[in-house]
Amino acid sequence: MSLIPKKGTVYVVDDDEAVRDSLQWLLEGKDYRVKCFDSAESFLSRFDPREVACLIADIRMDGMSGLELQDRLLERRSPLPIVFITGHGDVPMAVNTMKKGAMDFIEKPFKEEELLGLVERMLDQARVAFSHHQEQASRDALLSRLTTREAQVLERIVAGRLNKQIADDLGISIKTVEAHRANIMEKLNANTVADLLKIALGANGAKA
């Protein structure tokens, strides 16, 4: 058993057993963790969005196609990087998948080095996306601590409103605004207004 840490998870979705076996042998030989599925449906039922991973999928499969699988992942807002395996006649279809965010496509028969390069690029992208996801989850957890009124005050702080303007907006006293500001700073673990803005704008930017 290898003591070298695995580089990341590669999902392989293809209804051709020979292709799955070939890819598994190639990728595990380069110390990737490989999980194979014979259909898009079985992949979706077992896919773990918390994993740093990428996806290699055939475009044409029995049941749900690779195109439909990509649409399902987009519906789930999954950042999972995808590369598609295509036959020669599927190239226009593959170009369409790239317009929807697929990283690339490779034609059969594919070159091993080309595929390995794509996998490494996809996993690099997945690590960045996973890091952003973790940061967003952390921000969301902090913001969920705020009361409705505190959230209203924070929204106005971010908009650059002064305490007096916030008080007028919300029909409360300036002292109450100051108390809310102090509570917001404490709940969000912010030492400065700059810290506060980073948390709030990071969350808003991710939702935009």
Side-chain angles (χ1 to χ4, degrees), residues 37-54:
F37 300 88
D38 61 6
S39 71
E41 291 88 346
S42 62
F43 164 74
L44 285 171
S45 70
R46 295 167 63 186
F47 162 55
D48 184 354
R50 297 166 299 179
E51 230 172 352
V52 175
C54 64

Side-chain angles (χ1 to χ4, degrees), residues 149 153 156 162-182:
R149 179 63 87 192
V153 171
R156 285 160 176 77
L162 302 174
N163 282 359
K164 184 179 186 307
Q165 293 172 316
I166 296 173
D168 290 342
D169 289 344
L170 300 177
I172 56 179
S173 70
I174 293 177
K175 281 191 175 181
T176 302
V177 173
E178 290 170 349
H180 283 316
R181 284 184 77 124

Side-chain angles (χ1 to χ4, degrees), residues 4-108:
I4 302 171
K6 297 289 183 182
K7 297 177 182 178
T9 297
V10 182
Y11 292 110
V12 175
V13 181
D14 198 308
D15 57 3
D16 185 329
E17 185 178 4
V19 172
R20 294 197 306 274
D21 289 346
S22 173
L23 287 171
Q24 185 163 11
W25 178 84
L26 171 65
L27 294 165
E28 286 185 345
K30 298 295 182 181
D31 212 48
Y32 294 103
R33 182 183 293 105
V34 183
K35 296 182 180 180
C36 294
F37 300 88
D38 61 6
S39 71
E41 291 88 346
S42 62
F43 164 74
L44 285 171
S45 70
R46 295 167 63 186
F47 162 55
D48 184 354
R50 297 166 299 179
E51 230 172 352
V52 175
C54 64
L55 171 62
I56 300 172
D58 195 2
I59 279 193
R60 292 186 185 274
M61 294 183 282
D62 290 335
M64 187 187 297
S65 69
L67 292 172
E68 291 171 313
L69 171 57
Q70 183 184 29
D71 288 340
R72 292 290 181 87
L73 290 170
L74 288 171
E75 287 169 10
R76 295 184 183 189
R77 300 183 181 276
S78 169
L80 187 70
I82 308 173
V83 64
F84 284 100
I85 302 171
T86 72
H88 178 69
D90 296 333
V91 171
M93 199 184 300
V95 171
N96 188 44
T97 70
M98 291 187 69
K99 290 177 181 176
K100 292 183 179 181
M103 198 155 188
D104 211 333
F105 63 89
I106 50 174
E107 286 189 78
K108 301 173 185 175

Side-chain angles (χ1 to χ4, degrees), residues 1 4-5 10 14-15 47 64 92 108 113 116 118 130-131 135 138 159 181 185-186 194:
M1 183 177 175
I4 302 171
V10 182
D14 198 308
D15 57 3
F47 162 55
M64 187 187 297
K108 301 173 185 175
E113 289 306 313
L116 291 170
L118 279 172
F130 186 76
S131 175
E135 290 171 7
S138 176
R181 284 184 77 124
M185 298 286 280
E186 182 179 351

